[in-house]
Amino acid sequence: MSGHTMRAVTIREFGGPEVLTPEDVARPEPLPTEVLVRVHAAGINPVDWKTRTGQGMAGLQTFPLILGWDVSGVVEEVGFGVTTLEPGDEVYGMPWFPRAGGAYAEYVTAPARQWARKPSTVDHVHAAAVPLAALTAWQILVDTAHVQAGQRVLITAAAGGVGHFAVQFARHLGAHVIATASSARHPWLKDLGADETIDYTTTPFEEAAADVDVVVDLVGDGPDRTSTRALKTLSAGGLLVAVPGGVSPDLAAAADAAGVRSTGFLVEPDGPALTRIAELIDAGEVSVEVEKTFPLAEAATAHTQGEAGHTRGKLVLTTTD
C-alpha cells in the first residue's frame, strides 16, 4: 500500500446493506505486471450482495473487504514490466474474480492483462456494467456451449445483467433465441434479438419451449426448480448450463436420465474476450442497459434495490460527478 488514501466502501462483517460503510482507506500500489486504475464507475452484480451476506464468494474473502468486480476507469500508474497499457488509457475489466476485486473504491490494482481498452462508444457508467455479466454470457455461449448458427438457445431471466448480454451474443452467433422474462420486458428483448419470449409469470417455460440445444439458466434450482424444469426443454444431447448454484447430484442424475448434459459455470477474468466484446459494442451489435446509477457512498441503497429483483440490465456506482 502507498502513503496515499482513497475513498472506498468496506464491510467488516457479513450482513445486510447496512454493513456497507464508506471510509478512507490506504490506496493500493501496483506490483510488477499490475496497473493502478482510477475508478470512474463500478458495476453491481448479484454476487456482490450474496457475498455481503456471507454467501456467494464469501468463503474466499477476508475482512475488511471491499466488494465489487466490475470496473471502468483510467490507468493512473503501471507497474514494472507492463507494456500493454500506459497512464491515461481508458480501460475496463473484472479484476481478480473470485478473489476480492475491490471495485467499490476510487482506485484498484490488478494484472494488466485482466483489463481491456474500454469501448469507445460508451461512457464509463455503461462500460462498468459490462465485464462480469458480459464475460459470463460470452464464456458460457462461446467457450462452454460452443453455440453454432441455427441452434436453439433458451435463456432464463433474460432481462437481467447476464441475460441481456446472453440474448445479444446468442443472436450474434446466429442462434434462435428464446428468452424468459415478464411481459413488460418482451418488446425490449425482441429488439435485442430474442426470436421468442415467454412470460414466466403466466406460462411454465417448459411447456412453451422445446427442441432446445442449449439452456442458459440464470435462475437456478431454487424453490421454482428452474434448472430441473429446463431439462424438459432440451433435445437429446442438449446442454444445460446452470449458473446460480451449479449442478447438484440430483440435477446431474436427472440430466443423465433425460439423455442430456449439464454443467455448472463460474466466470474468469478474460482481457481478450473483453476486447472482442468492446469491438461488438463499438460496432453497434451489442448494447448495454443501465437501469440506475448511485454515488459510491450510496452503495447500501443500491444493494437494497438490486436485492429486490427485477432490475432491467445493471445498477452502477459512480465515483466521479
Side-chain angles (χ1 to χ4, degrees):
M1 296 292 175
S2 71
H4 301 287
T5 61
M6 66 176 183
R7 200 67 174 162
V9 175
T10 66
I11 69 170
R12 297 180 181 274
E13 61 180 346
F14 296 125
E18 70 279 358
V19 302
L20 292 159
T21 305
E23 61 179 307
D24 291 326
V25 301
R27 194 187 84 180
E29 282 192 353
L31 297 174
T33 76
E34 293 182 354
V35 297
L36 174 71
V37 172
R38 170 71 165 96
V39 178
H40 283 240
I44 298 174
N45 296 284
V47 69
D48 298 11
W49 59 75
K50 290 177 183 178
T51 301
R52 189 207 72 227
T53 64
Q55 303 176 63
M57 299 297 118
L60 302 177
Q61 316 306 326
T62 58
F63 295 124
L65 170 63
I66 301 174
L67 287 171
W69 286 277
D70 274 341
V71 174
S72 184
V74 177
V75 175
E76 183 91 357
E77 183 181 339
V78 301
F80 174 79
V82 174
T83 59
T84 56
L85 295 170
E86 60 185 26
D89 286 342
E90 293 189 320
V91 295
Y92 76 143
M94 186 188 72
W96 298 115
F97 190 86
R99 290 184 288 168
Y104 294 6
E106 292 179 325
Y107 293 90
V108 298
T109 56
R113 294 178 188 272
Q114 291 188 3
W115 303 95
R117 283 178 168 78
K118 180 183 80 65
S120 61
T121 56
V122 299
D123 58 18
H124 285 291
V125 165
H126 287 79
V130 174
L132 192 148
L135 283 176
T136 298
W138 184 268
Q139 291 172 6
I140 288 171
L141 294 167
V142 176
D143 302 330
T144 303
H146 307 291
V147 168
Q148 304 295 312
Q151 288 189 312
R152 293 169 60 83
V153 175
L154 169 64
I155 301 162
T156 66
V162 176
H164 88 290
F165 286 117
V167 168
Q168 295 177 86
F169 293 155
R171 176 205 61 190
H172 170 72
L173 294 168
H176 180 92
V177 183
I178 307 166
T180 75
S182 61
S183 59
R185 309 295 198 205
H186 289 186
W188 171 57
L189 288 170
K190 289 189 174 181
D191 286 342
L192 294 182
D195 297 286
E196 300 179 42
T197 51
I198 301 169
D199 185 349
Y200 70 94
T201 67
T202 61
T203 304
F205 68 87
E206 67 272 23
E207 296 178 5
D211 300 319
V212 171
D213 297 290
V214 177
V215 174
V216 181
D217 179 28
L218 303 172
V219 177
D221 230 8
D224 290 336
R225 306 291 288 171
T226 302
S227 294
T228 298
R229 292 161 51 208
L231 297 176
K232 300 176 183 178
T233 70
L234 286 165
S235 58
L239 175 65
L240 165 69
V241 183
V243 182
V247 177
S248 68
D250 287 346
L251 180 59
D256 288 343
V260 301
R261 297 170 293 146
S262 62
T263 185
F265 176 83
L266 190 64
V267 67
E268 303 175 48
D270 192 343
L274 284 175
T275 296
R276 180 67 184 120
I277 291 166
E279 292 171 352
L280 292 175
I281 293 171
D282 287 339
E285 292 193 39
V286 171
S287 63
V288 184
E289 186 74 11
V290 174
E291 181 169 297
K292 190 172 182 180
T293 63
F294 300 82
L296 183 64
E298 296 180 15
T301 302
H303 272 225
T304 299
Q305 177 165 332
E307 287 180 277
H310 309 297
T311 297
R312 172 167 155 162
K314 295 286 291 290
L315 304 176
V316 175
L317 300 174
T318 58
T319 64
T320 57
D321 295 332

